[in-house]
Amino acid sequence: MRRRGLVNLIVVGLLVLAAVLALTGPTSPLAPLLSPLSYENATLSIHDENDTELATVDVRVADTERERYVGLSNTVSLADGEGMLFVHPESGTYPYVMRDMAFPIDIVFAGENGTITTIHHAPLPGNPSDPLKQYRGQGQYVLEVPYGWTNASGISVGDRLSIPESVAE
């Protein structure tokens, strides 16, 4: 009786091991979800209504659903002039949250033509009962930069992100 129980335990263990290997191997349907992200890099500039350049920012481009979901989660920090540009397939109203963030950010929403529609100054989540406060805005592009960077650069609603053609396509 004990031997049969041991054999059953070994068989179950081998089945679990086989399932784990099948789900995490290189040909697994989960492989794309488990592999590290590889973001495209770009530089964009921000201009005012007179077409005066206010700032430039080097961005990692998040243009897939997975990249947009992960975003800056688990990123240690951003230097001035660094950020992430989220590219949505179409213009719409989108909620953004501070999932697994270690630093505060500015969240800049821009329409399909690059015009800034909303700027949020998002501190680190401080309320344990609401760790995923939503910052909503309208647009096709969302730029995340270090907290206060938009104020320091003189960027405001109505200014325009110049999106590189390689990113806008």
Side-chain angles (χ1 to χ4, degrees), residues 98-135:
M98 302 277 289
R99 182 181 304 103
D100 298 322
M101 291 291 295
F103 55 95
I105 57 175
D106 287 353
I107 304 172
V108 180
F109 290 83
E112 62 187 63
N113 65 356
T115 300
I116 296 173
T117 59
T118 306
I119 298 175
H120 292 285
H121 303 287
L124 281 176
N127 183 352
S129 66
D130 187 19
L132 295 181
K133 177 181 176 181
Q134 292 188 354
Y135 297 91

PDB file of all heavy atoms in Angstrom, residues 98-135:
ATOM      1  N   MET A  98       0.182  53.094 -11.509  1.00  0.00           N
ATOM      2  CA  MET A  98       1.581  53.064 -11.069  1.00  0.00           C
ATOM      3  C   MET A  98       1.923  51.660 -10.544  1.00  0.00           C
ATOM      4  O   MET A  98       2.373  51.497  -9.416  1.00  0.00           O
ATOM      5  CB  MET A  98       1.793  54.118  -9.982  1.00  0.00           C
ATOM      6  CG  MET A  98       1.448  55.523 -10.389  1.00  0.00           C
ATOM      7  SD  MET A  98       2.763  56.315 -11.278  1.00  0.00           S
ATOM      8  CE  MET A  98       3.944  56.547  -9.988  1.00  0.00           C
ATOM      9  N   ARG A  99       1.744  50.648 -11.365  1.00  0.00           N
ATOM     10  CA  ARG A  99       1.952  49.257 -10.968  1.00  0.00           C
ATOM     11  C   ARG A  99       3.446  49.003 -10.727  1.00  0.00           C
ATOM     12  O   ARG A  99       4.270  49.215 -11.604  1.00  0.00           O
ATOM     13  CB  ARG A  99       1.432  48.328 -12.067  1.00  0.00           C
ATOM     14  CG  ARG A  99       1.532  46.862 -11.768  1.00  0.00           C
ATOM     15  CD  ARG A  99       1.022  45.995 -12.922  1.00  0.00           C
ATOM     16  NE  ARG A  99      -0.345  46.308 -13.294  1.00  0.00           N
ATOM     17  CZ  ARG A  99      -0.696  47.020 -14.375  1.00  0.00           C
ATOM     18  NH1 ARG A  99       0.209  47.493 -15.191  1.00  0.00           N
ATOM     19  NH2 ARG A  99      -1.960  47.256 -14.637  1.00  0.00           N
ATOM     20  N   ASP A 100       3.792  48.559  -9.514  1.00  0.00           N
ATOM     21  CA  ASP A 100       5.172  48.194  -9.154  1.00  0.00           C
ATOM     22  C   ASP A 100       6.167  49.311  -9.457  1.00  0.00           C
ATOM     23  O   ASP A 100       7.278  49.070  -9.914  1.00  0.00           O
ATOM     24  CB  ASP A 100       5.597  46.904  -9.872  1.00  0.00           C
ATOM     25  CG  ASP A 100       4.746  45.714  -9.474  1.00  0.00           C
ATOM     26  OD1 ASP A 100       4.376  45.620  -8.286  1.00  0.00           O
ATOM     27  OD2 ASP A 100       4.429  44.888 -10.343  1.00  0.00           O
ATOM     28  N   MET A 101       5.767  50.547  -9.191  1.00  0.00           N
ATOM     29  CA  MET A 101       6.642  51.699  -9.455  1.00  0.00           C
ATOM     30  C   MET A 101       7.464  52.041  -8.225  1.00  0.00           C
ATOM     31  O   MET A 101       6.981  51.975  -7.102  1.00  0.00           O
ATOM     32  CB  MET A 101       5.814  52.909  -9.869  1.00  0.00           C
ATOM     33  CG  MET A 101       5.158  52.777 -11.222  1.00  0.00           C
ATOM     34  SD  MET A 101       6.322  52.791 -12.589  1.00  0.00           S
ATOM     35  CE  MET A 101       6.978  54.434 -12.452  1.00  0.00           C
ATOM     36  N   ALA A 102       8.716  52.462  -8.470  1.00  0.00           N
ATOM     37  CA  ALA A 102       9.634  52.826  -7.389  1.00  0.00           C
ATOM     38  C   ALA A 102       9.884  54.323  -7.332  1.00  0.00           C
ATOM     39  O   ALA A 102      10.645  54.785  -6.498  1.00  0.00           O
ATOM     40  CB  ALA A 102      10.960  52.078  -7.578  1.00  0.00           C
ATOM     41  N   PHE A 103       9.271  55.081  -8.238  1.00  0.00           N
ATOM     42  CA  PHE A 103       9.507  56.523  -8.285  1.00  0.00           C
ATOM     43  C   PHE A 103       8.291  57.207  -8.910  1.00  0.00           C
ATOM     44  O   PHE A 103       7.559  56.603  -9.682  1.00  0.00           O
ATOM     45  CB  PHE A 103      10.776  56.836  -9.098  1.00  0.00           C
ATOM     46  CG  PHE A 103      10.773  56.253 -10.479  1.00  0.00           C
ATOM     47  CD1 PHE A 103      10.357  57.003 -11.572  1.00  0.00           C
ATOM     48  CD2 PHE A 103      11.172  54.946 -10.702  1.00  0.00           C
ATOM     49  CE1 PHE A 103      10.342  56.464 -12.850  1.00  0.00           C
ATOM     50  CE2 PHE A 103      11.163  54.392 -11.978  1.00  0.00           C
ATOM     51  CZ  PHE A 103      10.747  55.151 -13.054  1.00  0.00           C
ATOM     52  N   PRO A 104       8.070  58.477  -8.578  1.00  0.00           N
ATOM     53  CA  PRO A 104       6.931  59.208  -9.144  1.00  0.00           C
ATOM     54  C   PRO A 104       7.234  59.640 -10.584  1.00  0.00           C
ATOM     55  O   PRO A 104       8.396  59.752 -10.977  1.00  0.00           O
ATOM     56  CB  PRO A 104       6.798  60.419  -8.220  1.00  0.00           C
ATOM     57  CG  PRO A 104       8.183  60.632  -7.691  1.00  0.00           C
ATOM     58  CD  PRO A 104       8.815  59.271  -7.602  1.00  0.00           C
ATOM     59  N   ILE A 105       6.172  59.896 -11.345  1.00  0.00           N
ATOM     60  CA  ILE A 105       6.333  60.275 -12.756  1.00  0.00           C
ATOM     61  C   ILE A 105       5.306  61.323 -13.164  1.00  0.00           C
ATOM     62  O   ILE A 105       4.313  61.535 -12.471  1.00  0.00           O
ATOM     63  CB  ILE A 105       6.190  59.049 -13.694  1.00  0.00           C
ATOM     64  CG1 ILE A 105       4.833  58.351 -13.497  1.00  0.00           C
ATOM     65  CG2 ILE A 105       7.356  58.089 -13.535  1.00  0.00           C
ATOM     66  CD1 ILE A 105       4.548  57.221 -14.458  1.00  0.00           C
ATOM     67  N   ASP A 106       5.577  61.960 -14.286  1.00  0.00           N
ATOM     68  CA  ASP A 106       4.571  62.751 -14.986  1.00  0.00           C
ATOM     69  C   ASP A 106       4.018  61.862 -16.093  1.00  0.00           C
ATOM     70  O   ASP A 106       4.782  61.149 -16.765  1.00  0.00           O
ATOM     71  CB  ASP A 106       5.178  64.009 -15.616  1.00  0.00           C
ATOM     72  CG  ASP A 106       5.535  65.081 -14.599  1.00  0.00           C
ATOM     73  OD1 ASP A 106       5.204  64.932 -13.403  1.00  0.00           O
ATOM     74  OD2 ASP A 106       6.165  66.079 -15.008  1.00  0.00           O
ATOM     75  N   ILE A 107       2.709  61.887 -16.278  1.00  0.00           N
ATOM     76  CA  ILE A 107       2.045  61.096 -17.307  1.00  0.00           C
ATOM     77  C   ILE A 107       1.401  62.081 -18.277  1.00  0.00           C
ATOM     78  O   ILE A 107       0.511  62.846 -17.899  1.00  0.00           O
ATOM     79  CB  ILE A 107       0.986  60.154 -16.703  1.00  0.00           C
ATOM     80  CG1 ILE A 107       1.620  59.255 -15.628  1.00  0.00           C
ATOM     81  CG2 ILE A 107       0.321  59.318 -17.791  1.00  0.00           C
ATOM     82  CD1 ILE A 107       0.619  58.430 -14.828  1.00  0.00           C
ATOM     83  N   VAL A 108       1.867  62.057 -19.530  1.00  0.00           N
ATOM     84  CA  VAL A 108       1.461  63.034 -20.533  1.00  0.00           C
ATOM     85  C   VAL A 108       0.681  62.324 -21.637  1.00  0.00           C
ATOM     86  O   VAL A 108       1.227  61.450 -22.318  1.00  0.00           O
ATOM     87  CB  VAL A 108       2.706  63.727 -21.141  1.00  0.00           C
ATOM     88  CG1 VAL A 108       2.296  64.747 -22.183  1.00  0.00           C
ATOM     89  CG2 VAL A 108       3.569  64.360 -20.046  1.00  0.00           C
ATOM     90  N   PHE A 109      -0.575  62.691 -21.823  1.00  0.00           N
ATOM     91  CA  PHE A 109      -1.411  62.126 -22.874  1.00  0.00           C
ATOM     92  C   PHE A 109      -1.376  63.052 -24.084  1.00  0.00           C
ATOM     93  O   PHE A 109      -1.456  64.279 -23.927  1.00  0.00           O
ATOM     94  CB  PHE A 109      -2.855  61.963 -22.402  1.00  0.00           C
ATOM     95  CG  PHE A 109      -3.045  60.882 -21.377  1.00  0.00           C
ATOM     96  CD1 PHE A 109      -2.802  61.139 -20.035  1.00  0.00           C
ATOM     97  CD2 PHE A 109      -3.470  59.622 -21.747  1.00  0.00           C
ATOM     98  CE1 PHE A 109      -2.970  60.145 -19.081  1.00  0.00           C
ATOM     99  CE2 PHE A 109      -3.640  58.619 -20.802  1.00  0.00           C
ATOM    100  CZ  PHE A 109      -3.391  58.877 -19.464  1.00  0.00           C
ATOM    101  N   ALA A 110      -1.289  62.462 -25.286  1.00  0.00           N
ATOM    102  CA  ALA A 110      -1.266  63.257 -26.516  1.00  0.00           C
ATOM    103  C   ALA A 110      -2.114  62.580 -27.583  1.00  0.00           C
ATOM    104  O   ALA A 110      -2.138  61.351 -27.699  1.00  0.00           O
ATOM    105  CB  ALA A 110       0.163  63.426 -27.018  1.00  0.00           C
ATOM    106  N   GLY A 111      -2.806  63.385 -28.365  1.00  0.00           N
ATOM    107  CA  GLY A 111      -3.653  62.891 -29.445  1.00  0.00           C
ATOM    108  C   GLY A 111      -2.843  62.345 -30.600  1.00  0.00           C
ATOM    109  O   GLY A 111      -1.613  62.387 -30.608  1.00  0.00           O
ATOM    110  N   GLU A 112      -3.538  61.847 -31.611  1.00  0.00           N
ATOM    111  CA  GLU A 112      -2.871  61.226 -32.758  1.00  0.00           C
ATOM    112  C   GLU A 112      -1.962  62.191 -33.499  1.00  0.00           C
ATOM    113  O   GLU A 112      -1.008  61.773 -34.153  1.00  0.00           O
ATOM    114  CB  GLU A 112      -3.871  60.568 -33.695  1.00  0.00           C
ATOM    115  CG  GLU A 112      -4.858  61.517 -34.318  1.00  0.00           C
ATOM    116  CD  GLU A 112      -5.925  60.796 -35.109  1.00  0.00           C
ATOM    117  OE1 GLU A 112      -6.699  60.029 -34.510  1.00  0.00           O
ATOM    118  OE2 GLU A 112      -5.980  61.009 -36.340  1.00  0.00           O
ATOM    119  N   ASN A 113      -2.215  63.491 -33.393  1.00  0.00           N
ATOM    120  CA  ASN A 113      -1.344  64.484 -34.031  1.00  0.00           C
ATOM    121  C   ASN A 113      -0.237  64.959 -33.090  1.00  0.00           C
ATOM    122  O   ASN A 113       0.537  65.845 -33.442  1.00  0.00           O
ATOM    123  CB  ASN A 113      -2.154  65.675 -34.537  1.00  0.00           C
ATOM    124  CG  ASN A 113      -2.794  66.461 -33.409  1.00  0.00           C
ATOM    125  OD1 ASN A 113      -2.713  66.092 -32.237  1.00  0.00           O
ATOM    126  ND2 ASN A 113      -3.450  67.559 -33.763  1.00  0.00           N
ATOM    127  N   GLY A 114      -0.177  64.391 -31.881  1.00  0.00           N
ATOM    128  CA  GLY A 114       0.874  64.721 -30.922  1.00  0.00           C
ATOM    129  C   GLY A 114       0.516  65.828 -29.949  1.00  0.00           C
ATOM    130  O   GLY A 114       1.286  66.114 -29.037  1.00  0.00           O
ATOM    131  N   THR A 115      -0.652  66.467 -30.113  1.00  0.00           N
ATOM    132  CA  THR A 115      -1.036  67.562 -29.216  1.00  0.00           C
ATOM    133  C   THR A 115      -1.329  67.027 -27.816  1.00  0.00           C
ATOM    134  O   THR A 115      -2.117  66.095 -27.648  1.00  0.00           O
ATOM    135  CB  THR A 115      -2.263  68.319 -29.765  1.00  0.00           C
ATOM    136  OG1 THR A 115      -1.930  68.843 -31.050  1.00  0.00           O
ATOM    137  CG2 THR A 115      -2.663  69.458 -28.843  1.00  0.00           C
ATOM    138  N   ILE A 116      -0.686  67.629 -26.828  1.00  0.00           N
ATOM    139  CA  ILE A 116      -0.844  67.204 -25.435  1.00  0.00           C
ATOM    140  C   ILE A 116      -2.233  67.594 -24.942  1.00  0.00           C
ATOM    141  O   ILE A 116      -2.639  68.758 -25.038  1.00  0.00           O
ATOM    142  CB  ILE A 116       0.248  67.825 -24.546  1.00  0.00           C
ATOM    143  CG1 ILE A 116       1.623  67.286 -24.987  1.00  0.00           C
ATOM    144  CG2 ILE A 116      -0.006  67.528 -23.066  1.00  0.00           C
ATOM    145  CD1 ILE A 116       2.807  67.944 -24.306  1.00  0.00           C
ATOM    146  N   THR A 117      -2.958  66.593 -24.435  1.00  0.00           N
ATOM    147  CA  THR A 117      -4.326  66.803 -23.967  1.00  0.00           C
ATOM    148  C   THR A 117      -4.431  66.829 -22.445  1.00  0.00           C
ATOM    149  O   THR A 117      -5.316  67.488 -21.908  1.00  0.00           O
ATOM    150  CB  THR A 117      -5.252  65.693 -24.503  1.00  0.00           C
ATOM    151  OG1 THR A 117      -4.763  64.424 -24.046  1.00  0.00           O
ATOM    152  CG2 THR A 117      -5.311  65.709 -26.026  1.00  0.00           C
ATOM    153  N   THR A 118      -3.559  66.114 -21.755  1.00  0.00           N
ATOM    154  CA  THR A 118      -3.618  66.001 -20.292  1.00  0.00           C
ATOM    155  C   THR A 118      -2.222  65.748 -19.753  1.00  0.00           C
ATOM    156  O   THR A 118      -1.446  64.994 -20.358  1.00  0.00           O
ATOM    157  CB  THR A 118      -4.521  64.818 -19.864  1.00  0.00           C
ATOM    158  OG1 THR A 118      -5.800  64.947 -20.474  1.00  0.00           O
ATOM    159  CG2 THR A 118      -4.688  64.734 -18.364  1.00  0.00           C
ATOM    160  N   ILE A 119      -1.922  66.337 -18.607  1.00  0.00           N
ATOM    161  CA  ILE A 119      -0.682  66.031 -17.885  1.00  0.00           C
ATOM    162  C   ILE A 119      -1.056  65.732 -16.437  1.00  0.00           C
ATOM    163  O   ILE A 119      -1.730  66.529 -15.786  1.00  0.00           O
ATOM    164  CB  ILE A 119       0.317  67.208 -17.919  1.00  0.00           C
ATOM    165  CG1 ILE A 119       0.725  67.523 -19.363  1.00  0.00           C
ATOM    166  CG2 ILE A 119       1.544  66.886 -17.052  1.00  0.00           C
ATOM    167  CD1 ILE A 119       1.613  68.753 -19.511  1.00  0.00           C
ATOM    168  N   HIS A 120      -0.632  64.557 -15.963  1.00  0.00           N
ATOM    169  CA  HIS A 120      -0.814  64.185 -14.557  1.00  0.00           C
ATOM    170  C   HIS A 120       0.558  64.162 -13.899  1.00  0.00           C
ATOM    171  O   HIS A 120       1.525  63.675 -14.486  1.00  0.00           O
ATOM    172  CB  HIS A 120      -1.418  62.775 -14.416  1.00  0.00           C
ATOM    173  CG  HIS A 120      -2.825  62.662 -14.887  1.00  0.00           C
ATOM    174  ND1 HIS A 120      -3.893  63.155 -14.164  1.00  0.00           N
ATOM    175  CD2 HIS A 120      -3.344  62.098 -16.000  1.00  0.00           C
ATOM    176  CE1 HIS A 120      -5.012  62.891 -14.819  1.00  0.00           C
ATOM    177  NE2 HIS A 120      -4.711  62.249 -15.939  1.00  0.00           N
ATOM    178  N   HIS A 121       0.622  64.661 -12.662  1.00  0.00           N
ATOM    179  CA  HIS A 121       1.829  64.533 -11.843  1.00  0.00           C
ATOM    180  C   HIS A 121       1.492  63.435 -10.835  1.00  0.00           C
ATOM    181  O   HIS A 121       0.721  63.654  -9.902  1.00  0.00           O
ATOM    182  CB  HIS A 121       2.159  65.858 -11.151  1.00  0.00           C
ATOM    183  CG  HIS A 121       2.332  66.977 -12.136  1.00  0.00           C
ATOM    184  ND1 HIS A 121       3.440  67.087 -12.944  1.00  0.00           N
ATOM    185  CD2 HIS A 121       1.522  68.013 -12.458  1.00  0.00           C
ATOM    186  CE1 HIS A 121       3.315  68.159 -13.714  1.00  0.00           C
ATOM    187  NE2 HIS A 121       2.150  68.732 -13.444  1.00  0.00           N
ATOM    188  N   ALA A 122       2.047  62.240 -11.064  1.00  0.00           N
ATOM    189  CA  ALA A 122       1.652  61.052 -10.307  1.00  0.00           C
ATOM    190  C   ALA A 122       2.703  60.696  -9.259  1.00  0.00           C
ATOM    191  O   ALA A 122       3.772  60.192  -9.595  1.00  0.00           O
ATOM    192  CB  ALA A 122       1.440  59.880 -11.256  1.00  0.00           C
ATOM    193  N   PRO A 123       2.393  60.964  -7.976  1.00  0.00           N
ATOM    194  CA  PRO A 123       3.320  60.561  -6.921  1.00  0.00           C
ATOM    195  C   PRO A 123       3.276  59.051  -6.737  1.00  0.00           C
ATOM    196  O   PRO A 123       2.397  58.374  -7.289  1.00  0.00           O
ATOM    197  CB  PRO A 123       2.772  61.277  -5.686  1.00  0.00           C
ATOM    198  CG  PRO A 123       1.310  61.411  -5.955  1.00  0.00           C
ATOM    199  CD  PRO A 123       1.188  61.571  -7.454  1.00  0.00           C
ATOM    200  N   LEU A 124       4.210  58.532  -5.977  1.00  0.00           N
ATOM    201  CA  LEU A 124       4.154  57.104  -5.660  1.00  0.00           C
ATOM    202  C   LEU A 124       2.850  56.806  -4.942  1.00  0.00           C
ATOM    203  O   LEU A 124       2.377  57.628  -4.150  1.00  0.00           O
ATOM    204  CB  LEU A 124       5.320  56.707  -4.762  1.00  0.00           C
ATOM    205  CG  LEU A 124       6.646  56.524  -5.456  1.00  0.00           C
ATOM    206  CD1 LEU A 124       7.737  56.217  -4.439  1.00  0.00           C
ATOM    207  CD2 LEU A 124       6.580  55.409  -6.477  1.00  0.00           C
ATOM    208  N   PRO A 125       2.278  55.637  -5.210  1.00  0.00           N
ATOM    209  CA  PRO A 125       1.046  55.284  -4.504  1.00  0.00           C
ATOM    210  C   PRO A 125       1.310  55.275  -2.997  1.00  0.00           C
ATOM    211  O   PRO A 125       2.225  54.609  -2.525  1.00  0.00           O
ATOM    212  CB  PRO A 125       0.718  53.879  -5.014  1.00  0.00           C
ATOM    213  CG  PRO A 125       1.467  53.746  -6.289  1.00  0.00           C
ATOM    214  CD  PRO A 125       2.678  54.616  -6.160  1.00  0.00           C
ATOM    215  N   GLY A 126       0.531  56.060  -2.258  1.00  0.00           N
ATOM    216  CA  GLY A 126       0.733  56.139  -0.820  1.00  0.00           C
ATOM    217  C   GLY A 126      -0.390  55.525  -0.028  1.00  0.00           C
ATOM    218  O   GLY A 126      -0.289  55.348   1.174  1.00  0.00           O
ATOM    219  N   ASN A 127      -1.474  55.200  -0.690  1.00  0.00           N
ATOM    220  CA  ASN A 127      -2.637  54.665  -0.005  1.00  0.00           C
ATOM    221  C   ASN A 127      -2.708  53.159  -0.237  1.00  0.00           C
ATOM    222  O   ASN A 127      -3.042  52.717  -1.336  1.00  0.00           O
ATOM    223  CB  ASN A 127      -3.902  55.353  -0.544  1.00  0.00           C
ATOM    224  CG  ASN A 127      -5.149  54.915   0.172  1.00  0.00           C
ATOM    225  OD1 ASN A 127      -5.123  53.992   0.977  1.00  0.00           O
ATOM    226  ND2 ASN A 127      -6.253  55.583  -0.120  1.00  0.00           N
ATOM    227  N   PRO A 128      -2.388  52.363   0.794  1.00  0.00           N
ATOM    228  CA  PRO A 128      -2.409  50.903   0.620  1.00  0.00           C
ATOM    229  C   PRO A 128      -3.760  50.355   0.177  1.00  0.00           C
ATOM    230  O   PRO A 128      -3.832  49.315  -0.449  1.00  0.00           O
ATOM    231  CB  PRO A 128      -2.038  50.353   1.997  1.00  0.00           C
ATOM    232  CG  PRO A 128      -1.469  51.497   2.754  1.00  0.00           C
ATOM    233  CD  PRO A 128      -2.010  52.753   2.133  1.00  0.00           C
ATOM    234  N   SER A 129      -4.841  51.077   0.482  1.00  0.00           N
ATOM    235  CA  SER A 129      -6.161  50.584   0.075  1.00  0.00           C
ATOM    236  C   SER A 129      -6.448  50.893  -1.392  1.00  0.00           C
ATOM    237  O   SER A 129      -7.403  50.385  -1.959  1.00  0.00           O
ATOM    238  CB  SER A 129      -7.256  51.185   0.962  1.00  0.00           C
ATOM    239  OG  SER A 129      -7.324  52.579   0.741  1.00  0.00           O
ATOM    240  N   ASP A 130      -5.619  51.734  -2.040  1.00  0.00           N
ATOM    241  CA  ASP A 130      -5.803  52.083  -3.449  1.00  0.00           C
ATOM    242  C   ASP A 130      -4.443  52.114  -4.154  1.00  0.00           C
ATOM    243  O   ASP A 130      -3.983  53.164  -4.589  1.00  0.00           O
ATOM    244  CB  ASP A 130      -6.501  53.439  -3.577  1.00  0.00           C
ATOM    245  CG  ASP A 130      -6.860  53.778  -5.015  1.00  0.00           C
ATOM    246  OD1 ASP A 130      -6.908  52.862  -5.861  1.00  0.00           O
ATOM    247  OD2 ASP A 130      -7.074  54.969  -5.307  1.00  0.00           O
ATOM    248  N   PRO A 131      -3.779  50.938  -4.267  1.00  0.00           N
ATOM    249  CA  PRO A 131      -2.438  50.929  -4.838  1.00  0.00           C
ATOM    250  C   PRO A 131      -2.410  51.197  -6.344  1.00  0.00           C
ATOM    251  O   PRO A 131      -1.383  51.529  -6.893  1.00  0.00           O
ATOM    252  CB  PRO A 131      -1.935  49.517  -4.538  1.00  0.00           C
ATOM    253  CG  PRO A 131      -3.182  48.690  -4.483  1.00  0.00           C
ATOM    254  CD  PRO A 131      -4.239  49.609  -3.910  1.00  0.00           C
ATOM    255  N   LEU A 132      -3.555  51.078  -7.008  1.00  0.00           N
ATOM    256  CA  LEU A 132      -3.588  51.259  -8.458  1.00  0.00           C
ATOM    257  C   LEU A 132      -4.528  52.400  -8.844  1.00  0.00           C
ATOM    258  O   LEU A 132      -5.445  52.236  -9.643  1.00  0.00           O
ATOM    259  CB  LEU A 132      -3.988  49.955  -9.151  1.00  0.00           C
ATOM    260  CG  LEU A 132      -2.999  48.805  -8.988  1.00  0.00           C
ATOM    261  CD1 LEU A 132      -3.485  47.566  -9.727  1.00  0.00           C
ATOM    262  CD2 LEU A 132      -1.615  49.184  -9.466  1.00  0.00           C
ATOM    263  N   LYS A 133      -4.270  53.579  -8.283  1.00  0.00           N
ATOM    264  CA  LYS A 133      -5.044  54.757  -8.653  1.00  0.00           C
ATOM    265  C   LYS A 133      -4.915  54.972 -10.154  1.00  0.00           C
ATOM    266  O   LYS A 133      -3.834  54.844 -10.722  1.00  0.00           O
ATOM    267  CB  LYS A 133      -4.524  55.989  -7.925  1.00  0.00           C
ATOM    268  CG  LYS A 133      -5.260  57.244  -8.329  1.00  0.00           C
ATOM    269  CD  LYS A 133      -4.739  58.474  -7.647  1.00  0.00           C
ATOM    270  CE  LYS A 133      -5.492  59.663  -8.215  1.00  0.00           C
ATOM    271  NZ  LYS A 133      -5.067  60.906  -7.659  1.00  0.00           N
ATOM    272  N   GLN A 134      -6.017  55.292 -10.810  1.00  0.00           N
ATOM    273  CA  GLN A 134      -6.006  55.479 -12.264  1.00  0.00           C
ATOM    274  C   GLN A 134      -5.808  56.948 -12.625  1.00  0.00           C
ATOM    275  O   GLN A 134      -6.409  57.837 -12.024  1.00  0.00           O
ATOM    276  CB  GLN A 134      -7.311  54.982 -12.873  1.00  0.00           C
ATOM    277  CG  GLN A 134      -7.476  53.487 -12.778  1.00  0.00           C
ATOM    278  CD  GLN A 134      -8.682  53.000 -13.563  1.00  0.00           C
ATOM    279  OE1 GLN A 134      -9.474  53.775 -14.092  1.00  0.00           O
ATOM    280  NE2 GLN A 134      -8.819  51.690 -13.653  1.00  0.00           N
ATOM    281  N   TYR A 135      -4.945  57.149 -13.615  1.00  0.00           N
ATOM    282  CA  TYR A 135      -4.732  58.468 -14.213  1.00  0.00           C
ATOM    283  C   TYR A 135      -5.246  58.356 -15.642  1.00  0.00           C
ATOM    284  O   TYR A 135      -4.658  57.671 -16.465  1.00  0.00           O
ATOM    285  CB  TYR A 135      -3.248  58.844 -14.183  1.00  0.00           C
ATOM    286  CG  TYR A 135      -2.720  58.965 -12.772  1.00  0.00           C
ATOM    287  CD1 TYR A 135      -2.165  57.879 -12.124  1.00  0.00           C
ATOM    288  CD2 TYR A 135      -2.809  60.174 -12.093  1.00  0.00           C
ATOM    289  CE1 TYR A 135      -1.700  57.988 -10.824  1.00  0.00           C
ATOM    290  CE2 TYR A 135      -2.348  60.299 -10.790  1.00  0.00           C
ATOM    291  CZ  TYR A 135      -1.788  59.197 -10.166  1.00  0.00           C
ATOM    292  OH  TYR A 135      -1.337  59.312  -8.876  1.00  0.00           O
TER     293      TYR A 135
END
